Amino acid sequence: MNINVVGSGYVGTTLAACLADLGHDVTAIDIDEDVVAELNAGRAPIHEPGLDELVAEHAGENLRATTSYENVAEADATFLAIQTPSREDGSIDVAPLEAAAEMTGDALADAEDDHLVIVKSTITPPKIDAVRDAVAEGAGEAAGRVEVATNPEFLREGTAVEDFLDPQKVVFGTDSEWAGAVLEDIYAPLLADHDAHVVRTDPETATMIKYANNAFLATKISLINDLGNVCKEFGIDAYEVADAIGLDDRIGERFLRSGVGWGGSCFPKDVAAIIAAARESGYDPAVLEAAVEVNDRQPERLLELFDEHVDAEGKRVAVLGLAFKPGTDDTRNSRAIPVIEGLQERGADVVGYDPVATENMRDRFPGIEYVDSAGEALEGASGALVVTDWDEFGALDEEFDAMAEPVVVDGRRIVDRREGITYEGLTW
Ligand SMILES: NC(=O)C1=CN([C@@H]2O[C@H](COP(=O)(O)OP(=O)(O)OC[C@H]3O[C@@H](n4cnc5c(N)ncnc54)[C@H](O)[C@@H]3O)[C@@H](O)[C@H]2O)C=CC1
Ligand SMILES: O=C(O)[C@H]1O[C@H](OP(=O)(O)OP(=O)(O)OC[C@H]2O[C@@H](n3ccc(=O)[nH]c3=O)[C@H](O)[C@@H]2O)[C@H](O)[C@@H](O)[C@@H]1O
């Protein structure tokens, strides 16, 4: 099939490259000329394992990128994979998505053939009408049938390609059998090879499934963090407890890693958005509010543990890990941000290290020192705070010997307790 993917960020680029890999003819549209140039040069504009290879394989063949909406109508369907950032009150800002929907609608004004516009972005159910209206504004009079569907995405950053190509479920939110059939056709090559559950529902329920999924996972982590904090008070290892409760398949062993909390572009944004949407409709989702509160507290707890061992004022302090999780260069809502802020408030000279996320964090904190290895960060440091569970931190050994004050406060249980360092785990 001939498919457009509008927006070439984390989701859009993965989607475009994977659809090309499934044999579709894909046009990636982005307003950012640099992003388009990168894609056309055969490189992924973002860091994601396996993505560069896919883009390199298909660019110039069945994957091309452009800043123009001119040929949108030539395709059978257009995915919208545009950012839906948080506004101050936690609700999502759909203006960028509406703008892209409007441009897509305009480009479909004279469409002779049927065309499905598929919202990949995460939007709260009440906002879908805004996208429908934006598309209809331009395409309302089109000769062909133009409809809006939702198809939320469950991929994780760091394993985006793998998750997209081997999903546990795909969710089709459509208003008609025709729209459902278009989505079936798009996913047919993937579903032929993988045993994924297919959930067919209406557009609003589909996006609610997405929010419920993220809210549940984020709350699961906050609950284990809450319990982990209790464990720490009692001198009990929360990981031993989590391993045991995870054996009960009603609980499940995954997403029970307690520590400095959830960050990233999605859990914080999506939990805030569904809380804001619920409140707007008159309901206060108390458990979700508590999940956010616990999450906000974890970095401060990490810093308080650090305070018990080191007076940071005027000292060089290492922050190991800047990305919100390993395998990505994404620092959006990384727990490293409140940790660095807390250290700065304490008057520390912060030195940060991350294998891939340094440049992104430099935009946020241009004034701190960044180094090229964990060893360099530890050299002469009065303490280290571990914020991201990059495997390489687990392999650190004699690097700790070069610290001025060998105190390690671990927010991710990645460093082993060892002779010669004072080690504190956040919940163990
Ligand atoms: N990042 C993730 O892991 C996941 C994100 N999502 C959702 O997917 C959506 C997209 O997220 P990301 O890919 O992370 O965003 P992103 O910010 O990485 O990418 C958005 C892209 O859209 C482009 N864009 C903005 N306006 C445009 C327009 N009018 N026309 C063409 N291109 C335009 C931007 O230049 C940018 O390249 C969000 O709603 C997010 O919540 C869903 C699942 C996973
Ligand atoms: O909507 C989204 O964008 C995506 O959000 C999450 O994916 P992602 O944010 O990429 O990463 P996760 O692996 O879920 O981790 C999120 C945060 O939770 C933290 N986490 C995760 C698991 C755990 O046990 N403990 C824990 O603290 C991670 O360190 C990270 O900061 C979901 O897992 C995806 O299914 C979803 O598509």
Side-chain angles (χ1 to χ4, degrees), residues 18-354:
C18 289
L19 289 176
D21 203 50
L22 292 171
H24 296 300
D25 206 10
V26 181
T27 303
I29 301 171
D30 201 289
I31 46 173
D32 186 329
E33 285 176 11
D34 295 339
V35 163
V36 167
E38 278 290 286
L39 278 170
N40 282 330
R43 291 186 296 267
I46 49 131
H47 173 85
E48 195 58 53
L51 194 55
D52 264 329
E53 290 81 349
L54 278 190
V55 172
E57 190 182 334
H58 297 284
E61 303 285 331
N62 60 339
L63 172 64
R64 72 205 66 76
T66 174
T67 54
S68 163
Y69 280 70
E70 209 175 24
N71 299 321
V72 160
E74 286 172 19
D76 304 294
T78 297
F79 280 94
L80 302 178
I82 303 293
Q83 70 272 24
T84 45
S86 292
R87 295 193 299 199
E88 212 138 88
D89 64 354
S91 65
I92 50 167
D93 178 3
V94 284
L97 177 63
E98 267 184 280
E102 227 173 277
M103 289 194 250
T104 304
D106 288 347
L108 292 170
D110 303 319
E112 298 285 333
D113 299 324
D114 298 346
H115 195 102
L116 187 64
V117 179
I118 306 155
V119 181
K120 231 338 160 191
S121 304
T122 304
I123 50 166
T124 46
K127 302 281 188 195
I128 297 172
D129 273 340
V131 178
R132 287 192 182 103
D133 292 348
V135 171
E137 213 165 282
E141 306 297 316
R145 173 179 194 159
V146 177
E147 231 177 84
V148 172
T150 61
N151 169 224
E153 183 51 57
F154 299 91
L155 62 78
R156 291 160 302 163
E157 287 185 25
T159 49
V161 172
E162 202 181 307
D163 288 349
F164 184 87
L165 291 173
D166 189 11
Q168 289 185 357
K169 63 174 176 277
V170 290
V171 179
F172 299 155
T174 60
D175 284 322
S176 71
E177 274 185 29
W178 166 76
V182 174
L183 275 161
E184 302 269 353
D185 286 348
I186 293 171
Y187 278 88
L190 190 153
L191 295 173
D193 279 348
H194 295 90
D195 208 10
H197 297 280
V198 180
V199 180
R200 298 172 185 87
T201 185
D202 59 86
E204 281 74 7
T205 306
T207 63
M208 190 61 212
I209 291 169
K210 170 68 192 172
Y211 277 103
N213 217 91
N214 273 1
F216 200 98
L217 290 172
T219 304
K220 186 176 183 185
I221 301 168
S222 277
L223 180 55
I224 198 65
N225 283 342
D226 211 21
L227 291 167
N229 295 339
V230 176
C231 287
K232 183 77 180 176
E233 294 297 319
F234 295 160
I236 290 169
D237 180 346
Y239 276 68
E240 201 181 327
V241 173
D243 286 347
I245 64 171
L247 296 173
D248 186 328
D249 63 12
R250 291 170 301 174
I251 294 173
E253 62 186 342
R254 300 180 69 191
F255 276 62
L256 283 182
R257 292 184 61 83
S258 56
V260 70
W262 34 273
S265 66
C266 293
F267 282 174
K269 168 172 81 71
D270 293 351
V271 177
I274 201 65
I275 290 174
R279 278 185 191 150
E280 208 179 315
S281 74
Y283 177 72
D284 264 343
V287 174
L288 296 182
E289 286 164 1
V292 173
E293 192 190 322
V294 170
N295 198 52
D296 288 346
R297 248 196 252 150
Q298 290 308 87
E300 195 48 42
R301 285 186 65 86
L302 192 79
L303 288 158
E304 282 165 9
L305 262 182
F306 188 72
D307 290 339
E308 287 176 17
H309 300 279
V310 179
D311 175 3
E313 169 102 52
K315 305 257 181 68
R316 175 184 166 89
V317 177
V319 174
L320 298 185
L322 304 171
F324 84 94
K325 64 179 238 185
T328 178
D329 64 349
D330 196 343
T331 55
R332 289 178 285 182
N333 272 308
S334 167
R335 301 293 81 195
I337 295 169
V339 168
I340 292 170
E341 282 169 352
L343 287 171
Q344 286 181 325
E345 276 161 24
R346 288 161 171 77
D349 292 327
V350 179
V351 50
Y353 166 70
D354 191 283

